[in-house]
Amino acid sequence: MRIAPSPTGFAHLGTASTALYNLLFARQREGTFALRIDDTDLERNRPEYEALIYEALRWLSLDWDEGPDKGGPYAPYRQSERVDLYRQHAVRLLDEGKAYKCYCTQEELEAERRQAQFEKRPYKYSRRCLTNPPTDRGVFAVRFKVPGGSVVFTDMIRGEMAFDAELIGDFILMKSDGFPTYQFASPVDDALMKITHVIRGEEHLSNTPYQLMIVDALGYERPIAYAHMPLILAKDGAKLSKRKHPESNLMLYREQGYLPEALINYLALLGWNPGTAQEIFTFEELMRIFSFDRVQHAGARFDWEKLNWINGEWIRAMVDGELAKRLQPFLSNLDEATIMRAVPALKTRMTKLADATEYLDYLWKEPDMPALDAEQASRIDMAVDALKEVPWEPEPIEHALEGVVERTGLSKNKLYTPIRLTLTGKKVSLPIHYTLALLPKEIAMTRLMRAVPA
Ligand code: GLU
């Protein structure tokens, strides 16, 4: 198995989803999983984007067995380092008469295309350079001579697929700059790297007949099967695009504090269903039950609510010490012991780790004084009285405040809202007894007393 991401931008959600399905399948079959960097588009590739792919996949523990950084029996794993191989294969196809040199200029090809449009027929290259090549030109691309017939293959999701190759025009294998097209490099590598199952996004379904014709022309063994996974769609049904949809950026999930386990869980369910009501899965569980026959054909819509729910479930299930460790980057102003004390309360409220910053920043930022009316101030006064002698732990604090509620007949809301506003400057906080207990007692009392007119 392999994935072949192109380092042309931030690491994409689709790359993680493809990697996950490949890895699950590879682990089920005791196969190997390679990361191949598809970087033959010189203008759009950047090494820093390649680094982002590694970082994102490692964060998700979608680890590969072979790749540019790890080596392996089919190295190199970066296509830009394999250009000689593609050239040799192109020369072989030229020698065998399965490909030919094409000298046409962009303008000439454009004119052919326009003519086809004008005559309302689907465009196919005219084969001018096959039948009547010019003799006075030096710059050429290498074009594949499409043999025609039909191309049939097995797709593990869609079943038997058949494409009519008569509709496919001769296409470019090597560009005039000496670099291969994706359509050529990809099947050459899949064959040389002995990829048995090509698992990739549905947008590549129509590329498969092109690539199989090349494998056949080279006399290589075909992959056993393909799987073209449903596209991930935005909520509105549009294809997720790097530009328009921030949710396509994998790093965003780490920044907002989605747990990698939860994102994996969510991605597995986006396009696949287990056939039972279970929704929370570890990677190991997925490995046991995942199969391509339960992958849907239609595009899968991204659903933040479901992801948030799954993330919350993972957060609540996590042991406190581990959660505290994961929270540290979001709470760099707090020491470990404070984070640990906050965890039980945070657990009940958070959907993502970044929420912790919002809940706890009152511990290191002095809030603005809220505008309280006289009644609210007097309620704080009562709370101050009740809290004076109380040991500074959540339970006794809760007990003391409940005592005030009982004695005065006030609602909890009436008593707690001004306390919350005064301590945090916010209307929403952790449960009030935790909000108090997490601050050192003198600071909590000083903030409260400041709200009471002398
Ligand atoms: N570079 C292509 C992509 O990122 C690879 C497609 C393939 O798996 O063949 O979509």
Side-chain angles (χ1 to χ4, degrees):
M1 270 55 69
R2 89 316 187 259
I3 53 166
S6 301
T8 53
F10 55 64
H12 197 272
L13 190 68
T15 300
S17 148
T18 313
L20 171 62
Y21 286 44
N22 270 281
L23 190 60
L24 287 171
F25 192 70
R27 294 293 171 260
Q28 285 179 344
R29 302 283 181 110
E30 288 169 32
T32 46
F33 171 49
L35 170 59
R36 187 170 79 213
I37 295 292
D38 187 343
D39 61 349
T40 52
D41 184 344
L42 293 182
E43 272 162 36
R44 296 173 60 219
N45 295 304
R46 300 267 181 286
E48 58 272 29
Y49 295 147
E50 185 180 319
L52 281 180
I53 294 173
Y54 297 141
E55 199 180 330
L57 294 178
R58 282 207 188 99
W59 172 62
L60 289 166
S61 300
L62 293 170
D63 207 7
W64 49 100
D65 305 308
E66 303 167 20
D69 57 329
K70 292 198 170 159
Y74 305 104
Y77 290 89
R78 217 178 258 119
Q79 290 191 323
S80 58
E81 293 166 19
R82 300 172 63 82
V83 175
D84 281 346
L85 274 170
Y86 310 129
R87 285 185 192 144
Q88 287 158 20
H89 282 82
V91 169
R92 176 138 81 79
L93 291 176
L94 283 172
D95 289 346
E96 292 172 4
K98 294 170 179 167
Y100 57 94
K101 294 180 181 174
C102 177
Y103 299 89
C104 292
T105 62
Q106 287 304 333
E107 293 74 36
E108 288 164 339
L109 294 171
E110 199 38 53
E112 277 195 0
R113 220 170 274 128
R114 271 200 309 270
Q115 184 63 28
Q117 222 171 22
F118 180 70
E119 291 169 20
K120 294 197 166 34
R121 58 180 164 82
Y123 173 66
K124 255 169 90 166
Y125 175 60
S126 65
R127 288 196 161 167
R128 185 163 43 161
C129 286
L130 178 65
T131 51
N132 187 19
T135 50
D136 57 344
R137 295 190 190 179
V139 180
F140 63 88
V142 177
R143 233 181 235 282
F144 185 60
K145 195 169 130 195
V146 171
S150 77
V151 183
V152 180
F153 61 91
T154 305
D155 185 287
M156 293 187 281
I157 299 168
R158 281 153 233 273
E160 293 303 299
M161 303 293 298
F163 281 85
D164 182 359
E166 302 298 331
L167 303 172
I168 298 178
D170 294 350
F171 56 94
I172 305 281
L173 305 178
M174 299 291 289
K175 296 174 280 182
S176 56
D177 62 5
F179 277 82
T181 56
Y182 158 71
Q183 214 63 294
F184 186 45
S186 186
V188 167
D189 284 346
D190 289 344
L192 295 181
M193 294 180 173
K194 305 233 170 4
I195 302 300
T196 55
H197 297 79
V198 175
I199 301 162
R200 58 185 173 189
E202 193 195 334
E203 68 269 34
H204 294 292
L205 181 59
S206 58
N207 291 330
T208 300
Y210 289 69
Q211 298 179 3
L212 281 173
M213 286 193 287
I214 290 169
V215 175
D216 293 348
L218 288 168
Y220 286 138
E221 212 171 309
R222 290 180 169 201
I224 296 169
Y226 285 76
H228 291 94
M229 301 178 9
L231 288 182
I232 302 179
L233 306 175
K235 213 182 166 112
D236 61 4
K239 187 174 179 252
L240 264 198
S241 96
K242 284 196 181 183
R243 268 180 311 110
K244 276 190 269 160
H245 301 103
E247 62 266 44
S248 61
N249 182 355
L250 269 178
M251 280 308 162
L252 174 111
Y253 299 90
R254 188 170 71 176
E255 278 159 28
Q256 297 197 354
Y258 288 92
L259 301 179
E261 295 92 333
L263 187 57
I264 291 286
N265 187 160
Y266 178 69
L267 284 176
L269 294 177
L270 191 60
W272 167 82
N273 79 78
T276 63
Q278 186 177 346
E279 297 203 272
I280 301 299
F281 294 94
T282 62
F283 183 86
E284 283 65 33
E285 282 174 300
L286 289 169
M287 214 177 76
R288 257 178 275 128
I289 59 171
F290 173 80
S291 81
F292 281 102
D293 16 287
R294 303 203 72 91
V295 173
Q296 72 193 42
H297 297 196
R301 282 185 197 225
F302 193 86
D303 178 354
W304 280 108
E305 258 169 57
K306 176 125 186 213
L307 172 61
N308 285 337
W309 177 78
I310 290 178
N311 205 51
E313 291 291 299
W314 273 91
I315 285 177
R316 283 184 284 286
M318 190 161 269
V319 292
D320 290 2
E322 178 62 22
L323 189 54
K325 209 171 80 197
R326 308 254 191 139
L327 280 165
Q328 253 155 21
F330 296 86
L331 299 171
S332 52
N333 291 298
L334 298 181
D335 58 40
E336 255 180 81
T338 310
I339 297 177
M340 199 57 196
R341 279 194 295 135
V343 159
L346 284 170
K347 246 186 179 175
T348 63
R349 301 273 161 112
M350 276 192 301
T351 51
K352 49 193 194 297
L353 302 180
D355 297 344
T357 320
E358 196 48 35
Y359 279 121
L360 294 183
D361 63 359
Y362 76 101
L363 296 180
W364 64 86
K365 275 201 308 217
E366 190 74 30
D368 294 334
M369 276 299 288
L372 301 181
D373 59 32
E375 242 177 87
Q376 286 177 313
S378 84
R379 284 176 219 143
I380 290 196
D381 206 19
M382 289 187 255
V384 168
D385 262 352
L387 290 170
K388 252 184 214 148
E389 305 301 328
V390 162
W392 212 239
E393 292 291 335
E395 261 187 48
I397 293 175
E398 184 176 32
H399 200 70
L401 293 177
E402 278 172 357
V404 177
V405 167
E406 256 165 55
R407 278 197 304 281
T408 58
L410 278 171
S411 71
K412 281 189 179 172
N413 190 25
K414 283 233 153 96
L415 179 65
Y416 298 171
T417 299
I419 302 177
R420 178 173 292 129
L421 279 172
T422 309
L423 291 177
T424 69
K426 296 177 194 179
K427 290 203 185 101
V428 180
S429 77
L430 295 181
I432 199 70
H433 48 301
Y434 275 94
T435 308
L436 282 155
L438 288 168
L439 272 177
K441 186 169 185 179
E442 316 115 59
I443 299 184
M445 295 304 264
T446 313
R447 280 192 199 171
L448 291 177
M449 283 186 292
R450 239 184 2 192
V452 184

